[in-house]
């Protein structure tokens, strides 16, 4: 995934969910959007885990 910020990824996930809830996606779009949402969720989880580890490391150094 190219340089994307956590907040942008989260906003895109929310947009996809909103479109799904409002039946704005046809079958073909839904498949593509679900795959994109999975990628974004994975990215967000990894970002949160990495940030958590960095914070713990910083706090441990004190």
């Amino acid at each position: 995934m190219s340089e994307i910020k956590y907040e942008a990824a989260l906003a895109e996930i929310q947009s996809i969910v909103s479109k799904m809830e409002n039946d704005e996606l046809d079958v073909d779009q839904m498949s593509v959007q679900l795959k994109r949402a999975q990628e974004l969720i994975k990215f967000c989880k990894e970002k949160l885990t990495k940030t958590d580890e960095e914070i713990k490391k910083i706090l441990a150094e004190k």
Side-chain angles (χ1 to χ4, degrees):
M1 191 168 290
S2 62
E3 289 295 316
I4 185 170
K5 301 265 185 211
Y6 177 84
E7 291 81 11
L10 190 57
E12 190 173 344
I13 292 168
Q14 291 170 334
S15 173
I16 292 168
V17 169
S18 177
K19 288 176 185 175
M20 291 176 67
E21 289 177 341
N22 294 319
D23 294 325
E24 295 176 26
L25 301 173
D26 63 29
V27 173
D28 294 325
Q29 291 175 321
M30 190 175 298
S31 176
V32 171
Q33 291 295 301
L34 279 172
K35 186 172 184 178
R36 176 67 176 158
Q38 281 184 314
E39 292 170 357
L40 291 166
I41 290 167
K42 181 180 178 190
F43 165 79
C44 288
K45 284 182 178 180
E46 289 172 355
K47 182 73 171 173
L48 288 172
T49 299
K50 182 178 177 186
T51 302
D52 184 52
E53 290 170 357
E54 290 173 358
I55 290 170
K56 287 178 181 175
K57 182 179 177 185
I58 292 168
L59 292 176
E61 292 174 356
K62 287 190 169 195

